[in-house]
Amino acid sequence: MSDDTTMTIRQMCDTYDVTPRTLRFYEAKELLFPIRQGTKRLFTRRDRARLKLILRGKRFGFSLEEIRQLLDLYDVGDQQATQLAKTYELAKHRLDDMVHQREELDEAIDDLKKQLEWGAKRLEELHAKSAAE
Amino acid sequence: MSDDTTMTIRQMCDTYDVTPRTLRFYEAKELLFPIRQGTKRLFTRRDRARLKLILRGKRFGFSLEEIRQLLDLYDVGDQQATQLAKTYELAKHRLDDMVHQREELDEAIDDLKKQLEWGAKRLEELHAKSAAE
DNA sequence: ACCTTGCTTGACGTTCGCGTAAGCCAAACG
DNA sequence: CGTTTGGCTTACGCGAACGTCAAGCAAGGT
C-alpha cells in the first residue's frame, strides 16, 4: 500500500498533517502535480516525496518560492544546459546557506545548553534554601 | 565604544542591516526595550544581544512570537521558583527541537550535496557533447 | 429516491512582518 | 534665520501562506 499506489487528498492530510486547502494551494503554486481521476486529485509517490521536502524546507525558513526552485533541482528532467547550469549555481548557494545555518544552529544549541546549566544551578539553590527552612 | 554605550536607531540599522521600521516594530511587539532620551530611542547592550538572537531565530523559521518567548528564556531576572522551573522545562524542549532540527539539516545538506554531484556530471556530459559537434 | 460523505472550484478574509508615505518635532549647520 | 538631517508617530498598503465559507458534483448507502 505504501509505495506505488496513489493517495486521496484526505489520506495525504492525515499522513502529513496538512489541510486540503494547503495541498490545493501547493498545486496552484506548482509545487505538487497530483494526477486527476475525473475531477479528483490523486497524489503519487513523487508528490509525497516533494511534500516532505516542502515541509522540511518550511521548517528552515525557506519561502515556498525558494522551495519550488529547490524542488526543480531534484527533478531535472530534460532541461537545457543553460537552465541546468543556473539551477546548479542556485543549489550551490543554497548549500552554502545551509552549511552556514548549521554553524549557527550549533552556536544556538551551545548557548541554550549553557542557559540550561545556569538554570539548573539556580533551581538547586532555591531547592536547598526551601529545605533549610 | 563597543560595550556599555548606547546606539541610535541609525547606528543599529547600519550595524545589523535592518530598517528603522523593523526596530520600531520589534519594540512595539515587545522584543526590544530601547530607553528614551526625550523622544529618541537609545538601544543598549541588552537590546543588541536580543536583536542578534531575533535575527538568528528568524533564519530558523521561528515566528516573532516564538522568538519573544525564547528571549524571555535568556532574561530570567528574579523569577519565582515555579516560574523558573517552567522556563527550564520549556528550554529543554526547545533544545530537543533544535537538536532534532540539526539532524534534519544534516540530512538536507547530504541530499543537496548528492544532487549537486549528479548535476555536475550531467553538466560535464552536456559540455562534452557540445564540444564533439 | 434521497441523503450523506468526500471532493471540487471560486472568492473573499486573515495574520504576519514589515514597507511606505504623510506630517510633525528638534538639534545642527551654513 | 531658514533648511537640511535624523528621528518620531499614525496609518494605510502589501505579499505570503493559508483559512473559511458558499455552492456544486459524484459515488455509495438505506
Side-chain angles (χ1 to χ4, degrees):
Chain A
M1 201 200 294
S2 65
D3 196 36
D4 223 31
T5 55
T6 60
M7 289 172 70
T8 71
I9 202 168
R10 182 109 310 271
Q11 292 176 311
M12 291 290 282
C13 293
D14 294 347
T15 305
Y16 299 102
D17 193 33
V18 292
T19 69
R21 176 68 177 108
T22 299
L23 293 175
R24 294 189 197 112
F25 184 74
Y26 289 168
E27 184 189 11
K29 293 280 169 172
E30 301 187 60
L31 291 160
L32 299 177
F33 308 95
I35 55 180
R36 294 306 181 100
Q37 166 186 299
T39 167
K40 300 188 179 178
R41 290 168 176 82
L42 290 180
F43 295 85
T44 67
R45 173 206 87 270
R46 175 165 170 257
D47 290 314
R48 297 193 291 268
R50 291 174 72 95
L51 181 54
K52 281 184 210 170
L53 289 172
I54 293 169
L55 297 178
R56 185 158 81 179
K58 287 194 56 182
R59 269 175 245 128
F60 293 114
F62 288 117
S63 75
L64 291 185
E65 176 53 25
E66 289 174 317
I67 293 172
R68 200 185 56 73
Q69 296 181 30
L70 270 176
L71 280 176
D72 292 345
L73 238 184
Y74 287 87
D75 220 14
V76 276
D78 36 20
Q79 302 200 353
Q80 298 286 352
T82 58
Q83 180 59 27
L84 181 57
K86 258 175 67 180
T87 302
Y88 182 78
E89 286 309 311
L90 204 157
K92 275 208 297 194
H93 285 135
R94 284 277 171 258
L95 182 57
D96 287 348
D97 286 354
M98 295 179 93
V99 169
H100 179 242
Q101 205 173 148
R102 202 210 123 96
E103 286 165 18
E104 272 195 284
L105 187 50
D106 278 345
E107 269 186 61
I109 286 176
D110 279 359
D111 287 0
L112 199 44
K113 270 188 186 168
K114 281 179 193 164
Q115 265 321 99
L116 274 172
E117 285 168 29
W118 191 85
K121 269 192 192 175
R122 291 277 304 163
L123 277 175
E124 255 183 65
E125 285 171 24
L126 285 170
H127 210 281
K129 237 185 189 172
S130 73
E133 286 171 11
Chain B
M1 202 197 300
S2 65
D3 194 37
D4 222 32
T5 56
T6 60
M7 289 173 70
T8 71
I9 202 168
R10 181 110 312 270
Q11 290 176 312
M12 289 290 284
C13 293
D14 293 346
T15 306
Y16 300 102
D17 193 33
V18 291
T19 69
R21 176 69 177 111
T22 300
L23 293 175
R24 295 190 196 111
F25 184 74
Y26 290 168
E27 184 190 10
K29 293 281 171 177
E30 300 188 57
L31 291 161
L32 298 177
F33 308 96
I35 54 179
R36 294 304 181 99
Q37 167 186 301
T39 165
K40 301 187 176 177
R41 291 168 175 82
L42 289 180
F43 296 84
T44 67
R45 172 207 87 268
R46 178 167 168 254
D47 289 314
R48 296 192 292 266
R50 291 175 71 96
L51 180 55
K52 281 185 211 168
L53 290 173
I54 293 169
L55 298 177
R56 187 158 77 181
K58 287 193 54 184
R59 271 173 243 127
F60 292 113
F62 289 116
S63 74
L64 290 185
E65 175 54 24
E66 289 173 317
I67 291 172
R68 201 184 56 73
Q69 295 182 29
L70 271 175
L71 281 176
D72 292 345
L73 254 181
Y74 284 88
D75 220 16
V76 277
D78 37 20
Q79 301 199 354
Q80 299 285 354
T82 58
Q83 180 58 28
L84 181 58
K86 261 175 64 182
T87 301
Y88 182 79
E89 285 309 311
L90 205 159
K92 276 208 297 194
H93 285 134
R94 283 280 174 240
L95 183 57
D96 287 348
D97 286 354
M98 295 180 95
V99 169
H100 178 245
Q101 203 174 148
R102 184 169 60 186
E103 286 166 19
E104 268 194 285
L105 186 51
D106 282 344
E107 268 185 64
I109 287 175
D110 277 2
D111 287 0
L112 199 46
K113 270 188 187 167
K114 281 178 194 163
Q115 268 318 102
L116 274 172
E117 285 169 29
W118 192 85
K121 268 191 191 171
R122 291 277 303 164
L123 276 173
E124 255 183 65
E125 286 171 25
L126 284 169
H127 209 280
K129 233 181 189 175
S130 74
E133 285 171 11

